[in-house]
């Protein structure tokens, strides 16, 4: 996976490659899909959600330029895989998931694997998590209709914000912003494919609140 999907596609950061070689991705997918965990695709994790494909996890991680001292926010815990990768590269990871059973399962998996620096919050994270701000990096792993305005103020100086946004023609683009003083600069944009960022929470029955 690391060689054929990450290095071959241009991800070169040795720390990112090492973290992704280290985290057992098969532990984050349903048992019946374990044999496909390292394929170059997203996989279903229940509740209509997916674990992102390895390349996108590697790319987004690399785009945060982590050095180890950072506090990072992830919006959309899903399986917890991205959070586990981040936990190897940052000091602290706060991750929020609106589907309660997914949040619970991710927290269990992360605990089993010893990712002690990850805090999983079962709640709607569309407006970020201001209580733990500022963050040195923020990544949204679900596609938003537009940049949520509440996120830039939660970003520390020089921090990167990654958010997939739907374009007018129905495509998705991953934007990387950087906070420079009071300004937010668009640093990069690449095509991508994510599930939708939705409002409210969901419990075990899929009942929305
Ligand atoms: N990063 C995940 C994959 C993300 S899939 C992984 O590594 O497995 C996107 C996730 O975002 C889904 O689980 C979805 O339920 C969640 N999500 C969508 N809208 C959300 C919101 N407003 N707040 C928190 N989580 C949200």
């Amino acid at each position: 996976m690391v060689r054929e999907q990450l290095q071959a596609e241009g991800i070169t950061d040795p720390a990112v490659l090492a973290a992704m070689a280290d985290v057992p991705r098969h532990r984050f997918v349903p048992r019946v899909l374990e044999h496909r965990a390292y394929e170059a695709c997203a996989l279903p994790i229940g509740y209509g959600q997916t674990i992102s494909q390895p390349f996108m996890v590697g790319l987004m991680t690399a785009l945060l330029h982590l050095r180890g001292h950072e506090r990072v926010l992830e919006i959309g815990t899903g399986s917890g895989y991205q959070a586990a990768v981040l936990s190897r590269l940052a000091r602290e990871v706060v991750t929020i998931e609106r589907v309660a059973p997914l949040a619970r399962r991710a927290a269990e998996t992360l605990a089993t694997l010893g990712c002690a620096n990850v805090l999983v919050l079962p709640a709607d994270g569309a407006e970020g998590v201001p209580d733990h701000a500022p963050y040195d990096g923020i990544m949204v792993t679900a596609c938003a209709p537009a940049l949520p305005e509440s996120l830039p103020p939660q970003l520390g100086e020089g921090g990167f914000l990654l958010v997939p946004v739907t374009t007018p023609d129905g495509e998705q683009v991953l934007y990387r912003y950087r906070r420079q003083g009071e300004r937010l600069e668009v640093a990069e944009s690449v095509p991508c494919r994510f599930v939708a960022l939705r409002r409210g929470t969901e419990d075990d029955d899929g009942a929305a609140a």
Side-chain angles (χ1 to χ4, degrees):
M1 177 184 87
V2 168
R3 204 173 43 244
E4 292 172 15
Q5 297 175 46
L6 307 183
Q7 289 183 291
E9 295 298 328
I11 295 171
T12 55
D13 185 328
V16 173
L17 297 172
M20 291 197 56
D22 197 35
V23 176
R25 182 170 161 94
H26 61 277
R27 299 287 292 274
F28 294 87
V29 303
R31 191 145 292 165
V32 291
L33 292 174
E34 267 184 13
H35 64 290
R36 298 189 53 199
Y38 297 88
E39 290 181 10
C41 58
L43 292 170
I45 55 171
Y47 305 90
Q49 309 304 327
T50 56
I51 178 175
S52 307
Q53 62 165 300
F55 174 73
M56 199 39 79
V57 174
L59 176 67
M60 290 181 79
T61 306
L63 287 174
L64 286 184
H65 288 294
L66 300 172
R67 294 198 174 151
H69 62 272
E70 296 88 353
R71 178 160 61 209
V72 177
L73 172 66
E74 179 196 21
I75 299 169
T77 314
S79 67
Y81 177 66
Q82 172 75 76
V85 173
L86 291 171
S87 80
R88 299 284 203 277
L89 299 163
R91 180 169 53 86
E92 195 184 338
V93 180
V94 177
T95 180
I96 186 162
E97 171 56 56
R98 64 179 285 278
V99 180
L102 285 180
R104 210 158 46 227
R105 196 196 297 155
E108 280 168 18
T109 311
L110 289 161
T112 307
L113 294 175
C115 302
N117 59 340
V118 182
L119 174 66
V120 182
L121 301 172
D124 180 352
E127 304 296 338
V129 185
D131 287 356
H132 294 265
Y135 303 97
D136 305 295
I138 301 178
M139 65 161 74
V140 185
T141 64
C143 190
L147 170 67
E149 281 181 18
S150 51
L151 296 184
Q154 296 174 41
L155 196 60
E157 175 62 28
F160 290 107
L161 164 61
L162 305 174
V163 55
V165 169
T166 311
T167 63
D169 51 6
E171 301 295 316
Q172 293 185 9
V173 175
L174 174 69
Y175 285 101
R176 180 169 74 151
Y177 298 93
R178 184 166 205 191
R179 170 103 184 243
Q180 306 271 33
E182 288 311 299
R183 286 187 317 150
L184 196 65
E185 292 179 349
V186 181
E188 212 153 341
S189 61
V190 288
C192 60
R193 196 78 229 158
F194 283 92
V195 298
L197 185 74
R198 299 174 62 185
R199 299 280 167 161
T201 54
E202 221 174 278
D203 64 18
D204 296 57
D205 314 319

